[in-house]
C-alpha cells in the first residue's frame, strides 16, 4: 500500500516528482506505515509527520549495485524498507551488513563530511526510503538522535554524540540551522583512529573540536605506541590489502590516505614533544614510515610535500636525541643533577627514563649500599641488585620509611621510586617479616637549627623571585603525559614520572620549610619578623602567579604548629594580619575550591598552578569514570583527562618574562638556598618544637 | 577565614578504589558511576535542614590528598563531620584509615562531639576480607559510628548520611529530601493503582 503511494504519481517520474503533491489521505497512510519502521522509532510523531511529505521511495533491482561510494559527497539519508546492503570500506572490505528497518548515510550529512563507506546491495530488488540532504537538515538535523552508533561485524565500534558548536562563524552563511558536531564518546581504538584520519585531518580548524588533540594526548591509555605505530603503518599501506578485490579505488583515495597518515604523525610529534624521542618504538616507526613514503614518491609524486614534513620531524627528533644522558643524585632532600659540564647550571633539563640515578638503600641496622641505576629500573630489579650486593636472602621488600616512621612498600613493578619519596623519606630494604622493625635514620629528623640569620637580611622579593624561577623550571620539565602515568599507574606503562614527582614534592617541601623555620626560631621577635617575611614572600608569589608556592606558604602558615603560636601572631602588624586572612580565604576548600578556580580563570599565562588540586581533579576523573565500557574505550573520560592536561598546557603557553629584582650581591647563595631547602616533615616533632616555643595553656 | 554558618562540611576519606566517589555520587545524584566531571563545584552539594533552616551540605572528597599532607589537614580543619571509607574486600584499605583517624584527632583535639562514621563499602561484593565484626570492633576502638554500605546496590547510602547528621549534637540536622521522596513515592503508588485498574 505504502509503496504505491510513495511511488505515486509514477515510478518513472519518481526522481523528479514533488512528494508534497501527496494528498492528505496519502500522507496519513504513509504516517501509519512510518510508525512501524525501526530506524524512525525514536522520532516524535511530529517529525514523522513532517517526513511523510519528503520521503522518496527508491528501488534497485540488481544485487551488487553501489548506492554510493566512500568519499562521495553525502546527499541523502536512507532507510531500508526491504532487502539488505553491505557496508564496504577501502582496505577493510565488508564491515557490516544492514537489513530491513536499518538506516545509513546519516553521518556524512550531519558532519558535512564525505561518505565514510560505500554501500553495496546484497540482493536483488532492494527498496529504500530516501530523505535528501536539504529536507534532512530542515527536519532531522536538530531532532535526530543525539547518539550515532557505528557497527562493525555486529558490534558497536564507534559511538558519537551530537553536541552544538559555536554558531558565531555561521552567521554570514545562509544556513538556517544551528551547527552541530559529532563528538566521539566511545569506540574501539582502531576505529577511532580510522575516524580520526577520515574526518579530522583535512577538516578546517575548529577550536571546540578537541578529538584529534585528545586522542594524541591520551592514546597511551588505550592504544600505546606499540599498537598505534603498527596501526598507522597498516593504514598507510591499506591499498595493498584490497588490491586483489575489484574495488574501484582511485589514485586520489590512495594518496589522500597516505598523506593523512603522514600528517597525523607530524601532529603527533607536535603534541608529544620530547616524549617522542624517548620512545624506541616511535623512532623505529618513523624510520619505517619515512622509507615507505620515499618508496612511494616515484609512483605518487604528490607525496613529496608530506615526505618533506616527515623528514623535518625525523630531523628534529634525531638532532636532540643524542644530547647525552644525565646522572641524578638523590642527596639529602632534592634530586640534583651531577653535571660534568658546567654550562648553565641553573637551567634544568627533564629527567629521562634512561638517565641514571644514584641513591642509598638502607637496611634495618641503618647500614646502606649505594645504587646507580636507570630511572626506569623496576623495584624487582633493584631488590635483586641489592640482594646480590649485600647477600640478604629471599622474600625481600623495598619500602620507604618516612621521617614519622610510617612505612610504605613499593609495588614490585614500580619505577623511578627515588623521586617519589616524601621530603625526608629514605629507601629501605628488609625481609618481608621484618618490615615492622624498620626505624627512620636520625638524619631524617631534619635540621636542628633554622636559617633565620640568612633569611632575615635577604629581600622577600628576591626569595620569591628565585623560588618562582625554580618552580617554573620544575613545571616546564614536567611532561603532560606524566600526569597520565601518575594517575593511571606508572608501573602499568613502565614510564617514569620523575619530573612530576619532583615538582609535586616541591609543594610539600615549601610548606614544611615555612613550618620548620618558624618552629626553629626560638626568639619571639625574630619569629614575628620571619612571619612577616613569609607573608610578604607569599604576596610576591601571588603577584608572579606562582600559585603553587603561594598555597604552600599559606598552608605552612596555617599548619597547627604555627597557627597555635598566639603570642607570635599577636605581634604581627594589623595590616599583615588582614593580608594573611585575605590569603587564607583563597584557600577555602568549599565547593571544590571554588575561590581558587575563579581566581585562576581570571589569570593569563604564565601561571604556576596549584598542583595538589590539579592532581585531585585528575584522580577524580580517573576514579569516577570507567576507562572501558562494553568493550569500548570510554572516550568521554579521555576528553576529561585531556582537558586537565590542556590546563597545564595553557598555564605554560607563555614564558616567564619577569623583571628580576635589583641585583643583589649574594644571588648565587639565594639560588642555592631556595633549591636546597632543609626541612622537618615530621608533624610530631614540629608540634613538640611549637610547644616549647609557646607552651599550651592548661 | 569567615565561617559560613549555613554550610555543613562532610569530609570523606578512603584509599583509592574503595568507592568514595561512588558513594557520594549515589547519595547526591542517586546514580551509580555516571560520567563525572570533577571541576564542577556543584557536584557535591545538597540542601538539608539545620536547626529548621536551610543549610548546604557540602561533601569534600579527598581523593589524591595522601600525597599532600597539607591538603588533608586543610580538609580536616574545615570539616564538621567525617566519613572514613574502606572496602570490605581489602584489609589494607582499613589499615590506611588509621593514620587519617590519628590526624583528625590531632587537629580536632577532642573527637567526642565530632560525627565520625566508619564505613565498610562494597558489602555486595562476595570477596570479603574484612568481617562486619572487625569493622565494628574498629569503630568501638575509635568510639565512632559504623555502617556497611554498597554504592552499587544503593544499600545504606542515605542511611549513612542520615545517621551521620544525627550524630551532630551541636545543631539539629536532617536530610531535607525525606518529605519530598515520600510525596513522589505516594504519587507513583497512586499512579500504579490507576494502572492496575485500567
Amino acid at each position: 500500500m505504502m509503496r504505491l503511494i510513495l511511488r505515486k504519481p509514477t515510478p518513472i517520474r519518481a526522481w523528479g516528482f514533488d512528494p508534497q503533491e501527496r494528498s492528505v489521505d496519502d500522507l496519513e497512510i504513509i504516517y501509519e506505515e512510518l510508525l512501524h519502521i525501526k530506524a524512525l522509532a525514536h522520532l516524535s510523531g511530529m517529525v514523522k509527520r513532517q517526513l511523510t511529505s519528503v520521503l522518496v521511495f527508491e528501488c534497485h533491482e540488481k544485487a551488487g549495485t553501489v548506492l554510493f561510494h566512500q568519499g562521495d559527497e553525502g546527499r541523502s539519508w536512507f532507510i531500508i524498507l526491504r532487502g539488505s546492503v553491505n557496508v564496504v570500506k577501502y582496505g577493510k572490505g565488508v564491515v557490516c551488513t544492514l537489513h530491513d528497518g536499518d538506516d545509513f548515510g546519516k553521518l556524512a550529512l550531519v558532519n558535512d563530511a564525505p561518505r565514510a563507506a560505500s554501500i553495496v546491495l546484497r540482493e536483488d530488488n532492494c527498496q529504500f526510503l530516501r530523505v535528501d540532504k536539504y529536507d534532512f537538515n530542515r527536519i532531522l538535523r536538530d531532532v535526530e538522535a543525539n547518539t550515532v552508533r557505528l557497527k562493525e561485524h555486529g558490534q558497536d565500534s564507534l559511538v558519537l554524540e551530537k553536541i552544538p558548536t559555536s554558531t558565531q562563524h555561521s552567521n554570514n552563511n545562509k544556513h538556517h540551522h544551528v551547527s552541530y558536531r559529532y563528538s566521539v564518546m566511545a569506540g574501539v581504538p582502531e576505529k577511532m583512529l580510522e575516524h580520526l584520519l577520515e574526518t579530522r585531518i583535512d577538516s578546517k580548524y575548529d577550536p571546540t573540536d578537541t578529538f584529534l588533540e585528545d586522542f594524541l594526548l591520551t592514546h597511551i591509555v588505550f592504544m600505546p605506541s606499540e599498537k598505534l605505530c603498527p596501526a598507522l603503518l597498516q593504514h598507510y599501506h591499506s591499498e595493498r590489502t584490497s588490491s586483489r578485490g575489484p574495488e574501484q579505488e582511485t589514485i586520489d583515495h590512495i594518496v589522500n590516505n597516505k598523506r593523512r597518515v603522514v600528517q597525523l604523525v607530524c601532529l603527533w610529534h607536535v603534541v608529544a614533544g620530547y616524549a617522542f624521542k624517548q620512545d624506541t618504538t616511535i623512532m623505529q616507526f618513523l624510520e619505517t614510515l619515512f622509507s615507505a613514503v620515499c618508496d612511494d614518491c616515484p609512483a605518487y609524486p604528490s607525496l613529496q610535500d608530506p615526505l618533506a614534513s616527515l623528514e623535518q620531524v625525523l630531523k628534529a627528533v634525531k638532532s636532540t636525541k643524542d644530547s647525552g644522558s644525565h646522572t641524578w643524585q638523590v642527596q639529602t632532600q632534592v634530586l640534583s643533577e651531577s653535571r660534568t659540564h658546567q654550562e648553565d647550571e641553573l637551567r634544568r633539563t627533564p629527567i629521562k627514563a634512561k638517565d641514571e640515578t644514584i641513591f642509598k638503600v638502607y637496611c634495618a641496622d641503618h647500614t646502606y649500599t649505594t645504587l646507580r641505576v636507570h630511572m626506569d629500573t623496576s623495584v624487582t630489579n633493584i631488590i635483586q641488585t641489592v640482594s646480590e650486593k649485600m647477600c640478604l636472602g629471599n622474600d625481600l621488600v623495598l619500602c620507604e620509611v618516612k621521617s614519622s616512621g610510617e612505612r610504605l612498600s613499593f609495588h614490585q613493578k614500580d619505577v623511578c621510586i627515588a623521586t617519589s619519596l616524601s621530603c625526608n623519606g629514605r629507601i629501605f630494604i628488609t625481609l618481608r617479616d621484618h618490615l615492622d622493625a624498620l626505624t627512620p635514620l636520625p638524619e631524617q629528623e631534619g635540621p636542628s637549627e633554622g636559617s633565620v640569620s640568612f633569611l632575615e637580611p635577604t629581600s622577600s622579593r628576591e626569595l620569591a623571585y628565585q623560588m618562582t624561577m625554580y618552580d617554573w623550571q620544575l613545571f616546564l620539565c614536567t611532561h603532560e603525559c606524566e600526569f597520565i602515568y601518575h594517575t593511571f599507574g606508572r608501573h602499568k606503562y613502565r614510564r617514569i614520572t620523575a619530573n612530576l614527582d619532583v615538582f609535586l614534592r616541591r609543594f610539600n617541601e615549601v610548606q614544611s620549610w615555612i613550618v620548620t623555620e618558624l618552629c626553629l626560631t626560638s626568639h619571639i621577635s625574630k619569629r614575628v619578623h620571619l612571619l612577616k617575611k613569609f607573608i610578604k614572600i607569599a604576596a610576591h608569589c601571588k603577584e608572579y602567579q606562582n600559585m603553587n608556592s603561594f598555597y604552600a606558604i599559606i598552608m605552612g602558615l596555617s599548619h597547627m604548629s604555627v597557627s597555635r603560636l598566639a603570642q607570635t601572631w599577636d605581634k604581627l602588624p594589623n595590616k599583615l594580619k588582614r593580608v594573611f586572612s585575605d590569603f587564607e580565604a583563597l584557600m577555602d576548600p568549599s565547593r571544590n575550591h571554588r575561590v581558587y578556580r575563579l581566581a585562576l580563570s581570571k589569570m593569563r599565562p604564565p601561571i604556576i598552578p596549584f598542583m595538589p588540586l590539579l592532581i585531585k581533579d585528575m584522580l577524580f576523573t580517573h576514579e569516577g569514570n570507567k576507562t572501558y565500557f562494553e568493550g569500548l574505550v570510554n572516550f568521554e573520560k579521555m576528553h576529561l583527562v585531556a582537558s586537565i592536561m590542556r590546563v597545564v598546557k595553557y598555564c605554560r603557553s607563555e614564558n616567564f618574562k619577569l623583571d628580576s629584582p635589583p641585583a643583589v650581591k649574594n644571588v648565587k647563595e639565594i639560588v642555592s638556598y631556595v633549591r636546597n631547602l632543609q626541612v622537618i616533615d615530621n608533624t610530631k616533632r614540629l608540634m613538640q618544637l611549637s610547644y616549647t616555643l609557646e607552651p599550651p595553656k592548661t | 577565614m569567615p565561617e559560613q554558618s549555613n554550610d555543613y562540611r562532610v569530609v570523606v576519606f578512603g584509599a583509592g578504589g574503595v568507592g568514595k566517589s561512588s558513594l557520594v555520587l549515589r547519595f547526591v545524584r542517586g546514580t551509580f558511576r555516571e560520567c563525572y566531571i570533577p571541576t564542577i563545584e556543584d557536584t557535591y552539594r545538597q540542601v538539608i535542614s539545620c536547626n529548621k533552616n536551610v543549610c548546604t551540605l557540602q561533601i569534600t572528597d579527598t581523593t589524591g590528598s595522601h600525597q599532600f599532607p597539607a591538603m588533608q589537614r586543610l580538609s580536616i580543619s574545615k570539616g564538621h563531620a567525617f566519613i572514613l571509607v574502606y572496602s570490605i574486600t581489602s584489609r589494607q584499605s582499613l589499615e590506611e584509615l588509621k593514620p587519617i583517624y590519628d590526624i583528625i584527632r590531632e587537629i580536632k583535639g577532642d573527637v567526642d562531639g565530632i560525627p565520625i562514621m566508619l564505613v565498610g563499602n562494597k558489602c555486595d561484593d562476595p570477596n570479603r576480607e574484612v568481617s562486619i565484626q572487625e569493622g565494628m570492633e574498629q569503630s568501638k576502638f575509635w568510639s565512632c559510628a559504623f555502617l556497611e554500605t554498597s554504592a552499587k546496590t544503593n544499600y545504606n547510602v542515605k542511611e549513612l548520611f542520615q545517621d551521620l547528621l544525627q550524630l551532630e549534637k551541636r545543631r539539629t540536622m536532617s536530610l531535607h529530601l525525606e518529605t519530598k521522596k515520600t510525596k513522589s513515592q505516594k504519587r507513583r503508588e497512586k499512579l500504579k493503582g490507576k494502572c492496575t485498574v485500567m
Side-chain angles (χ1 to χ4, degrees):
Chain A
M1 180 65 175
M2 179 183 179
R3 274 140 226 182
L4 286 175
I5 297 163
L6 282 170
R7 228 186 303 211
K8 224 166 71 173
T10 62
I12 299 131
R13 282 183 58 199
W15 290 109
F17 86 167
D18 181 359
Q20 284 177 17
E21 282 173 14
R22 291 167 190 160
S23 74
V24 181
D25 286 346
D26 293 348
L27 292 178
E28 195 54 37
I29 294 165
I30 296 174
Y31 177 74
E32 291 285 321
E33 283 292 324
L34 292 187
L35 294 178
H36 304 291
I37 295 174
K38 193 171 80 184
L40 305 176
H42 62 283
L43 297 174
S44 68
M46 191 50 196
V47 173
K48 284 183 194 136
R49 283 201 187 277
Q50 282 181 288
L51 282 175
T52 54
S53 57
V54 299
L55 278 168
V56 182
F57 180 81
E58 199 173 305
C59 181
H60 296 274
E61 287 175 6
K62 287 267 181 296
T65 307
V66 180
L67 212 54
F68 54 72
H69 288 108
Q70 180 174 353
D72 284 356
E73 186 198 341
R75 293 207 182 86
S76 324
W77 174 49
F78 294 89
I79 300 157
I80 307 175
L81 267 187
R82 205 207 73 76
S84 57
V85 299
N86 281 331
V87 183
V88 183
K89 285 190 74 90
Y90 293 138
K92 280 188 161 184
V94 178
V95 294
C96 105
T97 302
L98 301 172
H99 302 273
D100 295 9
D102 291 334
D103 66 308
F104 55 87
K106 200 153 56 184
L107 196 60
L109 296 189
V110 227
N111 276 346
D112 275 326
R115 293 292 190 196
S118 307
I119 297 289
V120 185
L121 268 54
R122 258 181 97 229
E123 48 193 283
D124 291 344
N125 290 321
C126 290
Q127 298 169 345
F128 306 92
L129 291 179
R130 194 186 82 221
V131 181
D132 290 332
K133 190 175 180 175
Y134 172 79
D135 297 313
F136 180 88
N137 282 339
R138 187 168 57 88
I139 301 169
L140 287 162
R141 191 157 183 146
D142 299 343
V143 296
E144 189 36 333
N146 286 323
T147 309
V148 176
R149 288 172 179 272
L150 299 185
K151 284 181 191 281
E152 276 191 10
H153 310 293
Q155 301 265 302
D156 279 343
S157 61
L158 194 63
V159 181
L160 308 172
E161 199 166 278
K162 188 167 73 176
I163 53 167
T165 60
S166 75
T167 48
Q168 289 158 340
H169 61 277
S170 61
N171 281 349
N172 301 336
N173 294 352
K174 277 191 172 177
H175 297 296
H176 56 283
H177 54 79
V178 193
S179 48
Y180 285 101
R181 174 167 59 73
Y182 273 78
S183 173
V184 175
M185 290 291 132
V188 179
E190 293 73 23
K191 186 70 190 174
M192 290 195 291
L193 177 64
E194 184 188 293
H195 185 69
L196 189 68
L197 286 165
E198 282 171 0
T199 61
R200 296 305 202 273
I201 303 294
D202 294 332
S203 63
K204 279 181 299 189
Y205 175 67
D206 171 1
T208 65
D209 182 3
T210 57
F211 178 47
L212 178 64
E213 193 187 7
D214 294 355
F215 185 95
L216 293 175
L217 281 172
T218 60
H219 73 88
I220 180 94
V221 175
F222 53 89
M223 200 179 200
S225 44
E226 293 76 33
K227 285 185 179 164
L228 180 53
C229 291
L232 280 168
L233 276 180
Q234 200 191 334
H235 269 282
Y236 184 82
H237 292 303
S238 64
E239 91 277 12
R240 287 187 193 164
T241 47
S242 58
S243 55
R244 51 199 144 83
E247 303 295 333
Q248 45 295 85
E249 284 170 339
T250 60
I251 288 184
D252 270 359
H253 176 80
I254 295 171
V255 173
N256 276 336
N257 185 42
K258 290 178 186 294
R259 180 181 49 79
R260 286 194 203 117
V261 172
V262 175
Q263 257 170 295
L264 182 66
V265 173
C266 296
L267 290 167
W268 186 15
H269 174 239
V270 174
V271 172
Y274 74 74
F276 233 53
K277 297 157 201 161
Q278 294 181 37
D279 195 320
T280 47
T281 315
I282 298 178
M283 290 305 292
Q284 281 167 9
F285 161 73
L286 285 179
E287 301 275 1
T288 318
L289 182 66
F290 184 72
S291 62
V293 183
C294 281
D295 292 349
D296 279 342
C297 261
Y300 311 112
S302 57
L303 283 177
Q304 281 301 344
D305 284 351
L307 181 69
S309 350
L310 190 62
E311 198 171 4
Q312 295 245 315
V313 171
L314 212 55
K315 245 188 211 160
V317 171
K318 281 185 172 168
S319 71
T320 40
K321 198 194 167 193
D322 305 307
S323 66
S325 63
H326 303 270
T327 305
W328 303 85
Q329 221 156 358
V330 182
Q331 288 170 341
T332 41
Q333 321 273 326
V334 241
L335 194 74
S336 60
E337 191 181 352
S338 55
R339 279 178 185 266
T340 43
H341 46 295
Q342 213 77 13
E343 8 152 8
D344 178 7
E345 61 179 30
L346 298 184
R347 175 133 304 150
R348 262 185 101 94
T349 48
I351 304 168
K352 297 185 298 267
K354 290 299 168 208
D355 282 353
E356 279 181 330
T357 166
I358 300 173
F359 56 86
K360 291 172 180 168
V361 178
Y362 294 87
C363 298
D365 60 357
H366 293 180
T367 55
Y368 65 86
T369 177
T370 307
L371 282 194
R372 187 189 182 109
V373 294
H374 286 211
M375 277 290 171
D376 64 354
T377 306
S378 71
V379 168
T380 316
N381 287 343
I382 292 175
I383 292 180
Q384 207 178 344
T385 313
V386 177
S387 147
E388 278 163 17
K389 257 181 142 175
M390 303 181 86
C391 309
L392 287 172
N394 292 323
D395 202 23
L396 295 164
V397 269
L398 204 62
C399 68
E400 174 188 354
V401 176
K402 294 188 181 183
S403 60
S404 62
E406 199 186 328
R407 293 165 282 257
L408 293 173
S409 333
F410 290 109
H411 194 286
Q412 291 285 311
K413 285 183 182 163
D414 208 351
V415 290
C416 75
I417 49 164
T419 55
S420 65
L421 298 177
S422 66
C423 288
N424 289 346
R426 294 290 183 273
I427 300 171
F428 280 70
I429 191 162
T430 184
L431 292 169
R432 194 174 295 279
D433 300 338
H434 297 176
L435 196 61
D436 292 340
L438 296 180
T439 52
L441 311 167
E443 64 171 57
Q444 289 183 251
E445 286 259 291
S448 51
E449 265 175 53
S451 43
V452 63
S453 54
F454 169 79
L455 288 170
E456 217 173 14
T458 309
S459 113
S460 328
R461 194 174 149 88
E462 181 70 30
L463 281 164
Y465 175 79
Q466 295 301 348
M467 284 169 72
T468 303
M469 292 328 272
Y470 183 50
D471 290 347
W472 182 246
Q473 283 180 28
L474 294 180
F475 185 35
L476 283 189
C477 283
T478 307
H479 195 281
E480 287 102 10
C481 284
E482 291 184 50
F483 288 86
I484 292 195
Y485 309 144
H486 182 86
T487 312
F488 287 73
R490 60 181 174 230
H491 59 274
K492 281 188 205 157
Y493 308 103
R494 226 187 148 199
R495 298 293 177 117
I496 64 160
T497 57
N499 299 292
L500 181 61
D501 292 341
V502 174
F503 186 38
L504 293 182
R505 189 166 63 183
R506 179 69 182 171
F507 179 87
N508 292 336
E509 243 163 51
V510 171
Q511 193 251 346
S512 302
W513 167 62
I514 299 288
V515 189
T516 305
E517 290 302 332
L518 284 165
C519 287
L520 287 176
T521 304
S522 48
H523 202 289
I524 183 152
S525 66
K526 296 219 170 202
R527 209 156 60 229
V528 175
H529 189 86
L530 212 50
L531 193 58
K532 281 194 227 167
K533 175 142 280 170
F534 287 147
I535 296 174
K536 285 181 191 163
I537 295 177
H540 287 302
C541 284
K542 183 165 171 277
E543 187 191 324
Y544 295 146
Q545 304 198 113
N546 179 357
M547 302 317 281
N548 200 46
S549 279
F550 169 75
Y551 276 95
I553 296 169
I554 300 303
M555 287 190 170
L557 294 175
S558 326
H559 192 277
M560 266 202 313
S561 48
V562 174
S563 60
R564 62 168 291 281
L565 301 173
Q567 293 165 30
T568 314
W569 286 95
D570 268 356
K571 292 203 163 57
L572 192 71
N574 280 333
K575 197 185 144 204
L576 278 179
K577 271 185 199 159
R578 277 196 302 274
V579 171
F580 179 70
S581 72
D582 286 351
F583 286 171
E584 243 197 337
L586 277 172
M587 219 169 57
D588 180 7
S590 298
R591 300 163 76 178
N592 205 358
H593 291 270
R594 182 164 193 266
V595 188
Y596 165 73
R597 290 181 201 276
L598 280 178
L600 185 71
S601 68
K602 288 185 191 127
M603 289 180 201
R604 297 275 145 256
I607 306 160
I608 304 176
F610 174 33
M611 295 308 286
L613 197 59
L614 209 86
I615 294 296
K616 182 181 163 186
D617 285 349
M618 210 47 163
L619 272 168
F620 265 27
T621 308
H622 177 51
E623 289 182 5
N625 300 284
K626 288 178 180 168
T627 305
Y628 292 93
F629 67 83
E630 290 161 17
L632 304 178
V633 178
N634 178 6
F635 206 77
E636 220 175 339
K637 176 173 179 173
M638 301 306 136
H639 282 307
L640 288 175
V641 168
S643 72
I644 299 169
M645 293 162 87
R646 246 190 304 280
V647 172
V648 175
K649 275 186 171 234
Y650 175 74
C651 286
R652 51 195 195 187
S653 57
E654 297 274 336
N655 212 339
F656 254 103
K657 288 182 292 256
L658 290 177
D659 296 333
S660 56
V664 284
K665 276 175 282 172
N666 58 341
V667 179
K668 274 201 167 170
E669 208 184 331
I670 298 171
V671 168
S672 123
Y673 178 82
V674 300
R675 288 170 191 227
N676 296 286
L677 300 175
Q678 306 289 312
V679 304
I680 302 170
D681 68 345
N682 181 0
T683 307
K684 281 212 179 92
R685 170 136 190 258
L686 290 168
M687 281 311 279
Q688 281 164 6
L689 287 168
S690 172
Y691 283 135
T692 30
L693 295 177
E694 291 184 23
K697 289 181 210 157
T698 36
Chain B
M1 203 200 85
E3 182 72 20
Q4 286 165 294
S5 59
N6 60 344
D7 271 4
Y8 191 78
R9 296 197 199 89
V10 174
V11 186
V12 188
F13 281 103
V18 298
K20 290 187 295 292
S21 308
S22 305
L23 261 181
V24 175
L25 281 176
R26 182 56 116 171
F27 170 68
V28 178
R29 293 223 209 120
T31 55
F32 178 74
R33 260 192 186 242
E34 209 177 80
C35 186
Y36 152 53
I37 304 171
T39 45
I40 291 182
E41 34 136 337
D42 284 306
T43 317
Y44 280 0
R45 289 166 71 214
Q46 175 123 347
V47 175
I48 56 168
S49 89
C50 164
N51 295 340
K52 292 179 182 169
N53 284 322
V54 170
C55 160
T56 315
L57 177 69
Q58 279 201 36
I59 302 168
T60 310
D61 190 327
T62 56
T63 303
S65 69
H66 62 275
Q67 216 179 341
F68 307 99
M71 287 288 276
Q72 271 181 350
R73 292 171 173 281
L74 178 68
S75 326
I76 294 170
S77 65
K78 306 286 179 196
H80 298 113
F82 301 90
I83 298 177
L84 306 179
V85 191
Y86 66 93
S87 158
I88 62 132
T89 63
S90 154
R91 175 156 288 112
Q92 177 65 21
S93 70
L94 179 58
E95 289 296 316
E96 283 177 38
L97 289 175
K98 291 178 181 170
I100 302 285
Y101 178 81
D102 292 341
I103 302 175
I104 295 177
R105 266 197 40 178
E106 192 182 303
I107 292 178
K108 291 292 181 190
D110 188 14
V111 288
D112 271 358
I114 296 163
I116 302 180
M117 177 81 79
L118 178 67
V119 175
N121 192 33
K122 298 194 182 173
C123 68
D124 60 290
D125 198 311
N127 305 314
R128 184 185 277 273
E129 250 186 37
V130 185
S131 71
I132 299 192
Q133 284 74 16
E134 279 173 277
M136 275 163 81
E137 269 160 37
Q138 188 63 56
S139 74
K140 263 183 209 151
F141 183 67
W142 284 343
S143 54
C144 69
F146 173 71
L147 263 184
E148 283 204 348
T149 58
S150 163
K152 199 172 182 178
T153 63
N154 202 8
Y155 170 72
N156 262 351
V157 177
K158 213 173 76 188
E159 289 76 0
L160 158 63
F161 286 88
Q162 187 76 59
D163 292 2
L164 186 75
L165 292 185
Q166 268 161 17
L167 290 172
E168 179 57 81
K169 300 297 175 210
R170 291 162 294 186
R171 324 182 202 181
T172 318
M173 318 280 296
S174 114
L175 293 179
H176 203 51
L177 17 100
E178 273 303 289
T179 47
K180 270 187 190 167
K181 267 273 161 77
T182 40
K183 259 185 193 171
S184 68
Q185 271 168 358
K186 271 181 193 169
R187 207 174 298 147
R188 224 175 291 149
E189 275 158 23
K190 262 188 184 175
L191 277 173
K192 261 188 185 169
K194 271 183 190 167
C195 279
T196 41
V197 171
M198 280 170 80

